[in-house]
Amino acid sequence: MKTPVSWIREYVDLPDGVTTEDLTRRLTALGLKLEAIESTGADITGPLVIGRVLTMQPEPQKNGKTINWCTVDVGAANGTGEPQGIVCGAHNFAPGDLVVVVLPGGVLPGGFEISARKTYGHVSAGMICSARELGLGEDHDGIIVLPADAGEPGADAFDVLGLGEEVIEFEINPDRAYALSVRGVAREAALAYGAPYRDPAARSVPAPNGEGYPVVIDDPAGCPVFVARTVSGFDPAAPTPDWMARRLQQAGMRPISLAVDVTNYVMLETGRPIHGYDGDKLQGPIRVRRARAGERLTTLDGVDRSLSAGPAGDLVVTDDSGIIGLGGVMGGETTELSESTTTIVVEAAHWDAVAMFRTGKRHKISSEAGKRNERGADPAITPAAADRVVELLTTHGGGTAEPGVTVVGTAPARPTITIGYDLPALITGMAIDAATTVANLEAVGCVLVKADTTLTATPPPWRPDLNDPFDLVEEVARIVGYDQVPSVLPREAAGRGLTREQRLRRRVGRTLAGAGCVEVISFPFVGDAAFEALGLAADDPRRRTVRLANPLSSEEPSYTTTLLPGLLRAAARNLGRGASGVSLFETGTVAFPVDRGPAPIYGVDWRPTADEVAKLFEALPDQPLHLAVVLAGERERAGWWGPGRESGWSDAIALVRRLGAELGVGVDVAAATRTPWHPGRCAQLGVGGEVLGHAGELHPKVCQAFGLPQRSAALEIDLDTLMRQAREVTPGPDFSTYPLAKEDVALVVDRSVTAAEVGAALREGAGDLLESIRLFDVYTGEQVGTGRKSLAFALRFRAPDRTLTEEETAAARDAAVALAAERTGAVQRS
């Protein structure tokens, strides 16, 4: 909502010295959020003056264009007092007219500098300006012709044009429809400063009679009030007054014609949408009803629309010829105001907000009138708004107000609300006494009936958003000021703190951060495109998703079953913006649908029992907590210390092992095949006999689909499973002061045997003396035979109470090799 400050000041006496910045701060505190402050003409500098055209000589050009060589009296503004010679391409003015002239040295919007230059055979010393060139509108074909009494030649044109006037743009919340008008904004300004307020809708209006244009309401619930007034003898060629056109432009609306501009002006002024019909095109009485099956209407935007029938269908306005408008949303072409309109029937009607919203959404119509009607306009000012339109049409259009006044229906009564005097204080925590509660509610327009401990409020008709006691609490609190809400830290019960899950999740996050990973948060929504990019088969369980009732995007309508799509996109985005390598992780829930029937729907007027709550949770999908990591590009940078290293599958597995060590859980690793990992380079991870997840190198097609470098790695595990088996306190290692004994063994096994299987057998066979085991080499070649491989392990032995002898070390080594040979068929390589 754009509102000129001067228009606000017409209805409220702001204190002296109040700046626009002060005003916007106060209004923002009351709930009208500042979007921007604009100043028309702020980027115009230099001499901009009133000029009188003395002569204009048309000169046809070779290119077919005719220009006018003009002499313009600019008084003493040019320093000489002599007429100024200016070339102008417009033709909508004549000698004797007052125009706006920018002289050499001036700068127009966009940095357009004006200087004396030769053009079309003349030296043009300045420019005669159009509204578009001054940033006042879109009209570029004709220059601005000022009223005859605008001022003397050479006078400053800034004030005449309203340049330099400040316009405030507010972001209006949907529940504050009253603020979509200068009337509402001015009321809030008066509230902010406790200043006198003059309601533009508070006017004396003629009483309804039986002489007005006939109106019949078939659906009073959809249209409770309909006011019709008629203006005859209207001059369709009458121009819109400059002050009105300027205010419409400042409010973001384009002037069209006097009749249309007046209805738009009154809508901006009062918040009440108005519609005008060409009275000579109306046939019979106006009737409001619901649309019927098969009916159509061509609206003012030229669109032929199929209307929705039924009790919740479109509200339409008709006459004997058929449908002439979508009630409260947009009029029809057949009765549109035109250049030949001399009789105007003015409609000021109140419409059901829900019906307006449905019609606007159904037909995808977004209009200024519809925006106000669907949010709830003031039903009590329809006679005043219609009378204001009639006043402006007759004043500036030369018409006559017909004596007939039609008013059908009455404004709906507002229900009362009972509230305790102490409720605002109890809810907000502020020290709000009964007197403050009463004063603030009266200030917003409520009519109060007071009792000993409660008061009953009737909200004003312009506030349809006030419906329960807590709405009134909000009104009281916003006037007191949300900045007065005390800051009180909640006191935590003794002996409590973070839950076990919270502590474990923090340990996981710290461990991954220590490993060089960065946490990201992505949207947990997916579509078929993400599953296709991952290469998931049609029958993959991860394709069976929980669909959202109201998704943010039709392309991603489901809750995800895997964290990888969002994480892979984030990795590709960062690599595409210059990162040499990424290590990203994310923790979040995924959802798997369950067939337990629909969730029960309970009322809101009682607290559900424990059994009812259990049934609600039973109907929810399974939502395990997952952890995913993506490693791509550089893992270790190159430098003077040596070459760098790319991320690989082993880094992903190492991260899970590191997490297991941090949480005191042993992680089992076994070869596996699972999409989207590369076959043969994927590991299944397990803890305590449960499958934890998978890690490894991503399939090349997946890397290509997401724009990642080849051999990028990823892992995804069930974090709930890992944390369920985690230890609260991980036991520290046992230290021995005795020397370490080193033994290396190389074992030849079939290629199908994993290093993990061999390592597990060696560890068990070596016994308690084994301190650590590490695979340091894998060899395949002729020396070990076809289909075989050599695995070299470093065994480290140490006793806690003595120095090991060579015999003890050799015996432990031999026992380890023997068990590995027994379980895996390993043969020690000489």
Side-chain angles (χ1 to χ4, degrees):
M1 175 67 189
K2 291 185 176 181
T3 310
V5 175
S6 63
W7 205 351
I8 297 174
R9 288 182 178 273
E10 284 189 11
Y11 306 130
V12 57
D13 297 330
L14 296 176
D16 295 338
V18 172
T19 65
T20 301
E21 288 74 14
D22 296 334
L23 177 60
T24 56
R25 276 195 295 270
R26 290 285 189 96
L27 292 177
T28 298
L30 285 175
L32 304 188
K33 180 183 175 184
L34 173 66
E35 191 72 18
I37 299 176
E38 301 174 358
S39 179
T40 56
D43 45 1
I44 299 176
T45 59
L48 185 72
V49 299
I50 297 174
R52 186 183 301 280
V53 180
L54 301 178
T55 65
M56 58 182 297
Q57 179 179 347
E59 296 184 358
Q61 303 297 309
K62 294 180 180 180
N63 59 6
K65 180 179 180 181
T66 298
I67 61 98
N68 294 307
W69 169 243
C70 307
T71 57
V72 184
D73 178 11
V74 294
N78 58 3
T80 66
E82 297 296 322
Q84 201 85 348
I86 300 175
V87 172
C88 183
H91 305 282
N92 67 315
F93 62 101
D97 285 344
L98 293 180
V99 295
V100 179
V101 179
V102 58
L103 298 175
V107 180
L108 296 182
F112 183 47
E113 298 181 3
I114 303 299
S115 61
R117 61 187 183 92
K118 189 171 183 179
T119 180
Y120 295 108
H122 301 280
V123 176
S124 182
M127 176 188 288
I128 303 176
C129 299
S130 70
R132 182 176 178 183
E133 289 158 346
L134 295 176
L136 298 178
E138 297 300 320
D139 186 5
H140 186 63
D141 297 328
I143 56 93
I144 298 173
V145 178
L146 299 173
D149 59 352
E152 295 298 321
D156 188 26
F158 274 80
D159 292 339
V160 175
L161 296 174
L163 297 176
E165 183 173 351
E166 291 180 309
V167 177
I168 307 172
E169 181 176 2
F170 295 103
E171 179 185 323
I172 306 300
N173 291 335
D175 62 336
R176 298 195 181 274
Y178 68 94
L180 290 172
S181 66
V182 181
R183 178 191 185 219
V185 174
R187 190 188 303 276
E188 292 291 285
L191 186 63
Y193 288 95
Y197 169 71
R198 294 174 293 280
D199 189 348
R203 57 190 295 121
S204 176
V205 297
N209 53 52
E211 302 175 15
Y213 199 92
V215 175
V216 179
I217 306 297
D218 291 339
D219 192 331
C223 181
V225 186
F226 196 111
V227 176
R229 298 283 301 275
T230 303
V231 174
S232 60
F234 176 75
D235 180 8
T240 301
D242 290 337
W243 61 267
M244 184 183 295
R246 184 163 62 249
R247 280 191 167 169
L248 290 174
Q249 290 167 342
Q250 290 171 337
M253 303 187 77
R254 181 173 62 89
I256 298 174
S257 66
L258 176 60
V260 175
D261 294 345
V262 164
T263 60
N264 286 335
Y265 181 86
V266 174
M267 178 184 68
L268 292 173
E269 182 180 60
T270 66
R272 166 50 61 192
I274 305 290
H275 186 67
Y277 300 96
D278 188 326
D280 295 328
K281 297 177 182 178
L282 288 173
Q283 301 178 26
I286 292 175
R287 182 179 295 272
V288 178
R289 60 172 173 82
R290 297 282 176 171
R292 297 165 184 160
E295 290 186 319
R296 306 185 69 88
L297 170 68
T298 300
T299 46
L300 291 175
D301 56 3
V303 178
D304 179 34
R305 303 181 186 277
S306 175
L307 304 182
S308 176
D314 297 323
L315 280 166
V316 295
V317 182
T318 71
D319 65 1
D320 290 347
S321 68
I323 299 176
I324 59 175
L326 273 174
V329 178
M330 186 173 288
E333 280 189 340
T334 57
T335 56
E336 180 181 6
L337 300 176
S338 66
E339 297 177 353
S340 61
T341 299
T342 59
T343 301
I344 299 175
V345 175
V346 177
E347 167 208 300
H350 181 68
W351 306 90
D352 175 60
V354 174
M356 296 300 96
F357 177 79
R358 286 173 175 166
T359 296
K361 288 295 183 183
R362 188 180 292 130
H363 295 283
K364 298 180 180 178
I365 298 176
S366 177
S367 66
E368 290 296 324
K371 183 191 302 182
R372 288 162 174 80
N373 282 326
E374 71 184 26
R375 298 183 183 194
D378 185 350
I381 64 168
T382 47
D387 190 67
R388 175 66 165 151
V389 171
V390 170
E391 176 190 32
L392 293 173
L393 289 176
T394 55
T395 301
H396 303 287
T400 301
E402 295 295 323
V405 177
T406 300
V407 179
V408 179
T410 56
R414 293 304 314 277
T416 60
I417 305 170
T418 300
I419 179 176
Y421 289 109
D422 59 346
L423 187 61
L426 292 174
I427 296 298
T428 65
M430 293 187 281
I432 301 175
D433 56 23
T436 302
T437 298
V438 170
N440 289 357
L441 291 179
E442 289 178 339
V444 299
C446 292
V447 177
L448 306 181
V449 176
K450 304 169 190 175
D452 292 338
T453 59
T454 62
L455 58 85
T456 300
T458 302
W462 61 84
R463 293 298 303 274
D465 57 306
L466 303 182
N467 297 297
D468 64 44
F470 301 101
D471 293 332
L472 299 184
V473 169
E474 181 181 354
E475 293 302 299
V476 174
R478 73 185 182 98
I479 298 174
V480 172
Y482 290 120
D483 57 335
Q484 302 300 314
V485 176
S487 298
V488 180
L489 289 175
R491 293 191 303 176
E492 189 174 358
R496 297 186 181 181
L498 297 177
T499 65
R500 179 179 185 275
E501 179 183 346
Q502 289 171 330
R503 292 194 297 271
L504 291 175
R505 288 186 66 172
R506 290 193 178 190
R507 287 170 64 184
V508 169
R510 285 196 296 266
T511 301
L512 291 173
C517 298
V518 176
E519 184 173 15
V520 300
I521 300 175
S522 57
F523 281 118
F525 310 124
V526 291
D528 289 337
F531 294 140
E532 294 293 337
L534 289 176
L536 301 186
D539 59 349
D540 192 300
R542 287 169 289 179
R543 278 186 176 268
R544 187 164 176 263
T545 59
V546 176
R547 292 186 66 86
L548 305 176
N550 187 22
L552 294 177
S553 168
S554 59
E555 297 178 355
E556 295 181 332
S558 301
Y559 202 92
T560 190
T561 55
T562 169
L563 299 180
L564 289 179
L567 206 54
L568 294 174
R569 285 193 291 264
R573 188 179 304 113
N574 282 274
L575 290 170
R577 295 182 179 179
S580 58
V582 293
S583 302
L584 306 179
F585 79 94
E586 179 176 9
T587 58
T589 57
V590 298
F592 296 97
V594 292
D595 297 324
R596 300 177 186 145
I601 299 177
Y602 303 126
V604 297
D605 54 345
W606 82 92
R607 179 184 177 88
T609 65
D611 289 341
E612 289 172 335
V613 172
K615 290 179 180 179
L616 281 173
F617 280 101
E618 184 180 346
L620 294 177
D622 292 334
Q623 300 177 68
L625 181 67
H626 276 206
L627 164 68
V629 180
V630 171
L631 308 171
E634 281 187 352
R635 182 64 176 163
E636 297 176 1
R637 289 190 173 185
W640 58 264
W641 53 84
R645 182 176 67 84
E646 299 290 306
S647 298
W649 61 268
S650 61
D651 296 306
I653 296 174
L655 282 176
V656 183
R657 290 187 182 277
R658 183 167 177 172
L659 283 176
E662 168 64 24
L663 300 180
V665 177
V667 178
D668 303 322
V669 180
T673 300
R674 183 175 174 83
T675 308
W677 286 276
H678 192 298
R681 297 174 188 169
C682 172
Q684 177 177 290
L685 309 168
V687 290
E690 294 185 73
V691 176
L692 183 62
H694 294 79
E697 181 181 310
L698 290 170
H699 196 286
K701 291 184 178 179
V702 175
C703 294
Q704 182 179 3
F706 284 95
L708 294 173
Q710 296 298 310
R711 296 189 176 276
S712 295
L715 69 91
E716 183 167 14
I717 63 173
D718 187 329
L719 199 54
D720 283 336
T721 300
L722 182 62
M723 294 192 299
R724 190 164 54 249
Q725 302 202 28
R727 296 188 180 186
E728 281 278 4
V729 179
T730 305
D734 295 326
F735 291 97
S736 173
T737 59
Y738 291 92
L740 186 71
K742 302 179 180 179
E743 292 284 347
D744 295 340
V745 296
L747 303 177
V748 178
V749 295
D750 288 339
R751 286 193 179 182
S752 61
V753 178
T754 65
E757 293 174 317
V758 177
L762 289 172
R763 183 178 292 105
E764 183 179 344
D768 295 338
L769 295 179
L770 182 66
E771 183 174 278
S772 66
I773 179 172
R774 178 175 61 88
L775 175 70
F776 67 87
D777 184 56
V778 179
Y779 171 76
T780 57
E782 296 180 358
Q783 295 184 19
V784 297
T786 303
R788 308 274 285 174
K789 62 183 176 183
S790 173
L791 305 176
F793 291 89
L795 307 180
R796 300 297 180 258
F797 298 95
R798 196 193 315 252
D801 56 351
R802 66 188 186 281
T803 300
L804 293 175
T805 64
E806 292 184 5
E807 291 76 10
E808 288 177 308
T809 304
R813 178 201 62 204
D814 293 343
V817 172
L819 188 58
E822 177 186 338
R823 290 188 176 176
T824 66
V827 177
Q828 188 167 3
R829 188 178 173 193
S830 59

